[in-house]
Amino acid sequence: MMESIWLTGASQGLGRALALELARQGFIVYASARNQLALQELKQQALGQKLSGMIVPKPLDIEDAADVKTVLDSILSEGPIAKVILNAGTYQPVDASDFDCQSLRDLFQLNVFGTVNCLEPAVAALRKQGNGQIAIVASLAAYRGLPRSAAYGASKAALIHMAESLYTELHRENVDIKVINPGFVKTPLTDKNDFAMPQRVEAEWAAKHIASKLSKPGFEIRFPTPFAQFMGFLKWLPYGIYFPLIRKISNQ
């Protein structure tokens, strides 16, 4: 039997590429997003490529907890689920000049609480199964406070913290937790950026990299390696060195 994966944020960008890559590897990918038409197009694309796995559209709005539970219940009615990949989210730069509570609330509502809406039933289901994996897509931008990232970076940092806490508790129940921290991936979201994006990778490359790492040991999947190492270096710098350096790099 083919193993099943539930993937959110599958209608475009990294999520779409990841859905196709996982189906290529032989998984049944239950692909979720709000855009039903895009999910149907994704299914047809997979059929056209005659992949060894398959894509099953499961439209939902992750901000609607009841909708999420209904969709996951329908997936579980088909059998156990091997992996849950929570990729849905958005990016919105926030300058200090337009910093406001509503912008942060809206972004946290989708990136954090939308993810939590999925995590709640997923954790319960995998604990009941006694096995499985949950991978949460965060970002290297969560490592340190970066200019224009007060909302996005903070939301992704919350996901990393949450994943770390769940890993510690769920490890003994044979439920694996991973966090996926990409750098810049070429998607419709990053296409909005008006600044240089070092080492930006194609979504297809990122999808292959993630898929190759999901079954390997380790808590974090991060890429591309040179940029991830640089961001990791920044994470450990004391403030007296970090702030002057980041001001110089970002021309602030």
Side-chain angles (χ1 to χ4, degrees):
M1 289 181 62
M2 289 187 287
E3 289 189 319
S4 298
I5 293 178
W6 178 35
L7 170 66
T8 67
S11 62
Q12 64 176 354
L14 176 59
R16 186 183 185 93
L18 187 54
L20 289 168
E21 179 60 29
L22 293 169
R24 187 172 292 112
Q25 294 188 6
F27 290 97
I28 299 173
V29 181
Y30 292 99
S32 290
R34 286 179 292 189
N35 190 328
Q36 298 186 36
L37 177 59
L39 291 179
Q40 289 298 328
E41 291 173 348
L42 175 62
K43 176 183 177 180
Q44 292 305 313
Q45 183 178 354
L47 290 172
Q49 294 181 14
K50 298 181 179 179
L51 305 180
S52 55
M54 61 189 297
I55 291 176
V56 180
K58 290 288 183 179
L60 65 79
D61 179 356
I62 66 168
E63 294 185 59
D64 185 334
D67 193 16
V68 170
K69 187 177 185 306
T70 297
V71 166
L72 184 54
D73 284 347
S74 72
I75 294 172
L76 291 169
S77 70
E78 301 294 326
I81 189 165
K83 302 179 189 294
V84 174
I85 305 175
L86 302 179
N87 167 71
T90 192
Y91 165 73
Q92 182 62 47
V94 174
D95 292 310
S97 59
D98 56 15
F99 183 86
D100 68 277
C101 182
Q102 192 59 50
S103 295
L104 267 74
R105 180 177 285 114
D106 291 345
L107 198 138
F108 266 69
Q109 189 62 39
L110 177 59
N111 286 3
V112 179
F113 293 106
T115 300
V116 171
N117 282 341
C118 301
L119 266 174
E120 181 182 341
V123 167
L126 297 192
R127 288 183 69 204
K128 184 177 180 180
Q129 285 181 186
N131 61 74
Q133 181 184 79
I134 300 173
I136 301 170
V137 178
S139 171
L140 291 176
Y143 277 14
R144 293 298 297 253
L146 300 171
R148 306 184 72 191
S149 191
Y152 177 76
S155 72
K156 294 299 187 177
L159 294 181
I160 293 174
H161 189 108
M162 194 182 310
E164 290 173 348
S165 297
L166 289 171
Y167 178 90
T168 303
E169 295 188 53
L170 294 176
H171 182 72
R172 62 179 178 267
E173 299 189 49
N174 203 31
V175 176
D176 181 44
I177 300 292
K178 289 193 185 308
V179 66
I180 301 170
N181 286 327
F184 294 108
V185 178
K186 183 170 174 51
T187 69
L189 290 178
T190 59
D191 285 343
K192 297 188 300 183
N193 288 337
D194 57 2
F195 57 86
M197 290 170 278
Q199 299 174 33
R200 186 163 70 149
V201 299
E202 296 293 331
E204 291 73 19
W205 182 93
K208 288 180 183 296
H209 183 78
I210 292 169
S212 72
K213 298 290 186 180
L214 285 173
S215 297
K216 294 183 179 179
F219 169 72
E220 182 184 27
I221 301 171
R222 67 179 193 175
F223 59 88
T225 298
F227 186 62
Q229 289 175 336
F230 175 69
M231 292 301 296
F233 166 73
L234 291 182
K235 183 165 63 171
W236 297 108
L237 288 179
Y239 290 125
I241 298 175
Y242 172 72
F243 286 130
L245 177 60
I246 203 65
R247 283 197 296 267
K248 181 177 181 180
I249 292 173
S250 60
N251 297 315
Q252 294 293 315

